[in-house]
């Protein structure tokens, strides 16, 4: 990948399976870019925000399901986002045991600033592919994940 000055985004573990190496690279790249941009956000926190942007007012269990995260620990992720003022959690009117979650106004503002960074990270990770190869890769990845892929 093409590193930005002072912010390496390279994978070095040649022994790991390709999918694990790609995950490691993307996680490292995400952390470096967010830190450089002055944001304290993890990939899981961003994924939760992305799910809430797409489906405001869903319950915590649905957030966990949408981002393929453990239901038992999603509460901690959402608590950290709430502490930052980026989400609002309310007791569900349909099920008093459930918590519905949505982005706060500040969360929507932060999300809109994070999204171009995440898109740039993806472009950087796939920089070694042609446009056609990148689109094909994204379609195959979506298929492997059981989702459809559309370009933003």
């Amino acid at each position: 990948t093409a590193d930005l000055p002072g912010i390496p985004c390279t994978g070095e573990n040649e022994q790991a399976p390709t999918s694990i190496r790609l995950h490691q690279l993307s996680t490292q790249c995400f952390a470096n870019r967010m830190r450089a941009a002055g944001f304290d956000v993890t990939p899981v926190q961003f994924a939760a925000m992305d799910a809430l942007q797409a489906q405001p007012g869903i319950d915590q269990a649905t957030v966990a399901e949408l981002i393929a995260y453990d239901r038992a620990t999603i509460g901690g992720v959402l608590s950290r986002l709430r502490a930052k003022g980026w989400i609002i959690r309310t007791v569900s009117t349909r099920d008093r045991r459930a918590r519905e979650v949505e982005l706060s106004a500040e969360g929507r503002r932060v999300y809109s600033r994070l999204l171009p960074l995440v898109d740039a990270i993806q472009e950087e990770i796939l920089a070694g592919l042609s446009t056609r190869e990148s689109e094909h890769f994204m379609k195959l990845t979506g298929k492997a994940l059981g989702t459809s892929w559309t370009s933003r």
Side-chain angles (χ1 to χ4, degrees):
T1 62
D3 295 335
L4 292 179
I7 307 173
C9 246
T10 58
E12 296 181 12
N13 185 353
E14 297 292 330
Q15 302 305 313
T18 303
S19 61
I20 292 173
R21 288 179 53 215
L22 183 59
H23 171 71
Q24 290 168 333
L25 171 65
S26 64
T27 300
Q28 175 191 31
C29 196
F30 185 95
N32 290 344
R33 296 292 176 259
M34 292 301 153
R35 190 171 32 255
F39 289 104
D40 177 24
V41 62
T42 67
V44 172
Q45 290 171 347
F46 176 79
M49 292 177 75
D50 195 47
L52 294 171
Q53 175 68 23
Q55 296 185 41
I58 57 177
D59 62 50
Q60 291 183 190
T62 303
V63 174
E65 182 181 323
L66 288 172
I67 67 171
Y69 203 69
D70 182 46
R71 287 178 64 167
T73 55
I74 194 67
V77 172
L78 296 174
S79 290
R80 287 183 285 284
L81 290 172
R82 185 172 175 258
K84 294 175 186 189
W86 295 353
I87 66 164
I88 300 166
R89 272 198 294 206
T90 56
V91 176
S92 171
T93 56
R94 293 179 300 262
D95 180 354
R96 304 287 301 161
R97 298 167 296 170
R99 301 288 181 265
E100 293 177 349
V101 191
E102 64 182 296
L103 293 176
S104 65
E106 176 68 7
R108 289 188 300 274
R109 186 186 70 75
V110 169
Y111 178 83
S112 70
R113 292 182 58 205
L114 294 175
L115 193 56
L117 296 172
V118 172
D119 288 342
I121 290 166
Q122 182 165 293
E123 286 179 22
E124 182 177 351
I125 290 168
L126 301 179
L129 303 178
S130 70
T131 300
R132 184 172 180 209
E133 289 169 332
S134 179
E135 289 175 359
H136 187 65
F137 174 82
M138 293 305 294
K139 286 178 185 174
L140 289 174
T141 301
K143 184 176 181 179
L145 294 172
T147 61
S148 61
W149 175 79
T150 56
S151 178
R152 287 194 211 256

